Amino acid sequence: MSLSIGRFEARYAALPEGFFAALPPTPVAAPRLIAFNESLAAELGLSVGGLSAEALAGLFAGNDIPEGALPIAVAYAGHQFGSFVPQLGDGRAILLGEVRDQSGRLRDIAFKGSGRTPYSRGGDGRAALGPVLREYIVSEAMYALGVPTTRALAAVLTGERVLREQGPLPGAVFTRVAASHLRVGTFQFFAAREDQDALRALLMFAIERHEPTARDAENPALAFLKGAIERQAQLIARWMGLGFVHGVMNTDNMTISGETIDYGPCAFMEAYDPATVFSSIDQFGRYAYGRQAAIAQWNLARLAEALLPLIDHDEESAVKLASEAISGFAHLYHKAYDETFRAKLGLLKKEDDDADLVASVLLRMQQKQSDFTLTFRAFADAVEPNGDSALRHLMGDDDIADQLIERWRVRLLREEGSSSDLKARIKAANPKRIPRNHRIEEAIQAAVRSDDFEPFHQLHRALQHPYQDDPAFAAYETPAAPDERVRVTFCGT
Ligand code: AMP
Ligand code: MG
């Protein structure tokens, strides 16, 4: 059956041979709709309003291909934990095509978990329910938190089991919407093959999509690289400001668009500690919270390497230009990081001592294992002379805590605005609710063990307006009790 739900374009599928393999998703036995993001569907201009849950399930399971879609699996390479793998690609994903959203932007619609492809290597091409729910919750929470991210359009049960280390698990298909699926690893794929024609075609495609002004720049490849660097610097600063740990920052999991992609063993930190790692496969802490900026810069250097022949025919000159651009990351990132953390303390003006104030607050939080989210949010109430009891408690309940709070208050006096303005400003920079890992785990367990999706839906609702006070969602605000704590998270496979 073919459904007409919108005007699909086949832009990526129009690129030369070697960029992808054309194939449909493998149909599944018994699709059942778990979640469908109506507001995102409206934003994309999809006409799915009249469809039943059953029809939506068939559609988002990949059993019924929308009219005009030309399904493909995309080729890419990547550095995984520092080692280069020349061929990865969509081993379990299928790109349906692009649609133009209501604001005129092209957006990719893709499935994850839709069967084997020529890039599957040893994998089964499928996704287990748990990781699909995790990606749904966390990507939509990131969107609500204001972070550039891929979005969740739908999640569907397949009615089939997938075999994982833990045993047989319910299978699911996730529908992802992205500004594009171009990754650092897509460029590496063609660079590794020394295929300059393909690299040039990819660059032109990427420029048209993400950096249109680079087309007329003196050096389009360099202008494009600089744009990607700027977007990543902004993105990582946003992650840091929320305590987000991506978990698998391999070059194939880093977009050119600047959107967060591939929510595998990701998690939000509770007690502040830059060494925080969750991923079960990250034994050496390569992708720890505090290393994310350095890793992003390393990944961008891999992008720069791939682009070298397009930056300048003369290799020496290309290396010089690319290195300068990569060095620029540190400045852009530190600026964005400082702004983010100043804003978290309500400081809009920039003063010399602010970075030290931020560092002192963070150091204290690390020493006292203060919950990152609750502590920063508590600064809002502490604007009021008698409102600092929660903050004081979170910061250790002693003279050092008092001195720090006093130092911050003295600094805050030099900011403009009434105390209620300042309070509102601090709240707008510090969410009340983040997707806490034990809550995600609880939602996954209820779904997997008891086919109960209510905790998942409730968690999703709790995270839709994360900056608003809402007593109805108080249970989602507290950190995990010691026996609830989730120490490791597993990859999306
Ligand atoms: P990820 O860790 O999800 O970013 O995936 C890394 C690579 O492994 C990508 O090329 C994926 O397409 C591939 N992959 C992950 N899981 C599977 C699976 N179950 N079947 C086939 N390929 C997979
Ligand atoms: Mg990936």
Side-chain angles (χ1 to χ4, degrees):
M1 191 169 70
S2 177
L3 297 163
S4 171
I5 59 164
R7 235 173 67 97
F8 273 82
E9 304 194 20
R11 301 239 169 175
Y12 206 87
L15 282 165
E17 205 180 312
F19 276 72
F20 57 85
L23 80 163
T26 309
V28 307
R32 202 179 103 206
L33 192 67
I34 301 166
F36 169 57
N37 191 336
E38 270 179 55
S39 64
L40 178 59
E43 185 183 318
L44 296 173
L46 299 181
S47 39
V48 286
L51 297 183
S52 63
E54 202 184 342
L56 288 171
L59 181 64
F60 293 116
N63 286 15
D64 305 319
I65 304 299
E67 217 173 275
L70 223 159
I72 58 172
V74 171
Y76 54 83
H79 273 91
Q80 299 192 307
F81 292 89
S83 312
F84 186 62
V85 184
Q87 175 152 332
L88 290 166
D90 287 337
R92 55 169 172 165
I94 292 284
L95 176 63
L96 275 181
E98 301 87 359
V99 295
R100 219 170 257 290
D101 70 15
Q102 301 291 47
S103 55
R105 273 202 313 153
L106 280 172
R107 311 274 289 270
D108 279 8
I109 301 186
F111 294 137
K112 195 166 174 177
S114 47
R116 287 181 52 81
T117 77
Y119 310 113
S120 296
R121 297 173 292 159
D124 62 1
R126 293 300 186 189
L129 175 59
V132 165
L133 296 182
R134 177 180 291 277
E135 177 153 356
Y136 200 109
I137 290 284
V138 183
S139 63
E140 286 303 296
M142 290 285 265
Y143 171 73
L145 288 161
V147 184
T149 177
T150 61
R151 302 286 310 274
L153 182 60
V156 169
L157 277 165
T158 59
E160 297 172 8
R161 300 250 144 195
V162 294
L163 203 56
R164 293 293 180 265
E165 254 173 51
Q166 308 93 302
L169 296 167
V173 176
F174 179 75
T175 306
R176 175 158 78 188
V177 174
S180 87
H181 282 80
L182 297 172
R183 307 150 191 265
V184 170
T186 322
F187 286 85
Q188 290 182 289
F189 180 86
F190 297 105
R193 284 159 184 75
E194 296 180 22
D195 185 344
Q196 288 204 25
D197 291 339
L199 257 184
R200 196 164 291 115
L202 180 63
L203 176 67
M204 287 309 135
F205 183 91
I207 283 179
E208 197 185 324
R209 195 81 174 256
H210 300 298
E211 203 70 55
T213 56
R215 206 173 16 208
D216 305 318
E218 196 186 319
N219 187 331
L222 185 63
F224 167 74
L225 174 64
K226 287 182 176 170
I229 290 171
E230 168 82 46
R231 285 188 287 276
Q232 283 301 327
Q234 298 297 332
L235 179 66
I236 308 298
R238 297 304 309 272
W239 290 0
M240 298 302 283
L242 293 164
F244 177 74
V245 185
H246 180 283
V248 215
M249 291 177 71
N250 293 333
T251 56
D252 53 305
N253 292 339
M254 181 181 276
T255 60
I256 297 305
S257 66
E259 284 183 345
T260 313
I261 197 168
D262 269 357
Y263 294 87
C266 60
F268 285 76
M269 174 171 73
E270 296 201 308
Y272 176 74
D273 182 356
T276 303
V277 180
F278 295 99
S279 170
S280 62
I281 54 172
D282 191 2
Q283 287 170 3
F284 303 107
R286 179 180 171 89
Y287 299 140
Y289 170 80
R291 297 204 57 196
Q292 297 186 115
I295 288 291
Q297 189 177 30
W298 190 89
N299 289 350
L300 289 162
R302 306 288 78 77
L303 175 64
E305 262 167 23
L307 290 169
L308 282 179
L310 306 182
I311 290 176
D312 201 310
H313 294 299
D314 175 47
E315 197 181 328
E316 206 177 309
S317 154
V319 168
K320 186 167 174 286
L321 291 168
S323 309
E324 278 166 13
I326 293 297
S327 311
F329 174 87
H331 171 71
L332 294 167
Y333 170 71
H334 288 300
K335 188 164 175 287
Y337 178 94
D338 287 348
E339 269 165 27
T340 302
F341 279 83
R342 274 206 316 276
K344 289 178 80 65
L345 295 179
L347 312 177
L348 291 190
K349 294 182 179 157
K350 186 172 163 27
E351 292 192 6
D352 287 346
D353 194 40
D354 289 349
D356 186 70
L357 176 59
V358 167
S360 303
V361 168
L362 289 174
L363 180 64
R364 183 64 173 170
M365 287 167 62
Q366 187 176 349
Q367 286 161 348
K368 293 291 155 189
Q369 299 182 14
S370 319
D371 183 83
F372 185 80
T373 306
L374 291 185
T375 307
F376 276 108
R377 182 78 176 188
F379 276 92
D381 282 336
V383 168
E384 311 283 356
N386 300 319
D388 64 0
S389 60
L391 180 61
R392 189 174 187 279
H393 179 68
L394 285 157
M395 301 263 280
D397 253 333
D398 60 8
D399 289 350
I400 298 177
D402 287 340
Q403 283 159 17
L404 253 181
I405 294 169
E406 191 48 32
R407 178 177 165 198
W408 165 70
R409 278 191 173 139
V410 169
R411 168 63 186 85
L412 197 66
L413 288 175
R414 294 193 292 279
E415 289 291 320
E416 273 150 41
S418 65
S419 59
S420 65
D421 289 345
L422 292 172
K423 207 168 165 173
R425 192 202 279 174
I426 295 172
K427 284 187 176 182
N430 296 294
K432 183 100 176 173
R433 289 174 298 280
I434 46 144
R436 293 191 182 267
N437 220 358
H438 63 297
R439 287 295 187 184
I440 299 175
E441 211 52 45
E442 176 189 65
I444 290 175
Q445 291 310 327
V448 170
R449 293 204 180 134
S450 321
D451 195 40
D452 174 9
F453 290 88
E454 201 37 46
F456 161 79
H457 290 298
Q458 184 67 8
L459 177 58
H460 175 61
R461 277 193 290 276
L463 296 167
Q464 296 222 300
H465 302 287
Y467 296 95
Q468 285 176 16
D469 289 307
D470 190 338
F473 295 126
Y476 295 90
E477 289 158 15
T478 40
D483 64 323
E484 290 174 324
R485 214 163 282 157
V486 180
R487 286 192 175 76
V488 290
T489 47
F490 295 90
C491 246
T493 48

